[in-house]
Structures are given as structure tokens and as C-alpha cells.
Amino acid sequence: MPTLFEKIVAREIPADIVFQDDRVTAFRDIHPRAPVHLLIVPNKAIATANDIADADETLVGHMFTVARDLARGAGIADSGYRLIINCNRDGGQEVFHLHVHLVGGAPLGPMLSR
Ligand code: 5GP
């Protein structure tokens, strides 16, 4: 079964895609938690951070350089932003296709609530 995000990558279900190349796709989160809330995903399915293979190092690095460029493009590089990867139950992961959240555009507060 393809993941939800694989379907977005393949444009089988709609999403507001802001960047795509042969390795990654970035699109707006459907329930934004900040003025800027993008998801950067590998085009191939990697379920969680636990499933990143050594051979995926370049791909995962590319996810971060794309996030950096998208932050610049959104005008939030200097004001700041947060990159988040949730993993499994305690991490609050809901979609089991690796993704980096890029959130910013407003003060984000403490990293974790108590
Ligand atoms: P997670 O909790 O897995 O780290 O985050 C999953 C994110 O995917 C959530 O922020 C959620 O709002 C977003 N999301 C879930 N379904 C969809 C969808 O169909 N389209 C888009 N654009 N985002 C989605």
C-alpha cells in the first residue's frame, strides 16, 4: 500500500506542492501550526527515522538543504524556524513516511511543553 505522502508525491491526491525534484517533495501541511508549515519528504517511502539506511545519508542531507532553501524563500531564515522529525508513538508521528516539518513565521515558544 502506498503511503499518503507517496500519493502526494505521485500527485494522485492533491497538495500544495512548493518544491519537487527527483529525490524530495515539499508541500504545505494541511493543518498548519504556524504561518509557515511545510513538510519535506523523500520521494521514496521511508517509514520512520529508524528506517533511514546508511545509503540514505545523501538523501536525508538533501531534505535538509531543501528545507534551508525553502526557509530562505519563505523569508524566515533570519527570523528563525524549527525543523522537526517525529518518530513513532512517543514522538507523535501520525504519517509513517519520513518527513521534516519546517515551521516558522512567528515565535514558536519553547521546544517542548511540560
Ligand atoms: P507527524 O505527526 O506524522 O509528524 O505529522 C504529519 C503531518 O502531516 C501533520 O502535521 C498533518 O497535519 C499532516 N498531514 C496529514 N495528512 C495530510 C494530507 O493529506 N495533506 C497534507 N498536506 N498534510 C497532511
Side-chain angles (χ1 to χ4, degrees):
M1 278 285 285
T3 66
L4 172 65
F5 289 171
E6 277 181 284
K7 292 179 183 171
I8 287 176
V9 167
R11 298 174 187 256
E12 290 169 8
I13 62 172
D16 189 354
I17 293 176
V18 297
F19 176 84
Q20 187 167 47
D21 66 13
D22 59 332
R23 290 182 283 169
V24 308
T25 299
F27 50 91
R28 293 188 198 286
D29 195 291
I30 203 166
H31 297 304
R33 274 45 159 231
V36 176
H37 188 170
L38 303 176
L39 301 173
I40 300 101
V41 313
N43 291 346
K44 73 168 190 175
I46 299 173
T48 78
N50 291 330
D51 301 296
I52 298 169
D54 291 353
D56 294 324
E57 278 187 1
T58 305
L59 170 62
V60 172
H62 186 53
M63 292 169 68
F64 280 85
T65 53
V66 168
R68 173 203 65 195
D69 291 346
L70 289 170
R72 282 187 190 142
I76 60 171
D78 291 339
S79 54
Y81 55 91
R82 191 169 288 158
L83 301 176
I84 303 165
I85 297 176
N86 296 320
C87 182
N88 279 341
R89 183 186 58 242
D90 284 359
Q93 185 173 5
E94 295 172 359
V95 177
F96 287 80
H97 182 131
L98 184 69
H99 48 284
V100 175
H101 294 257
L102 165 58
V103 287
L108 298 172
M111 187 173 71
L112 296 171
S113 56
R114 291 186 182 275

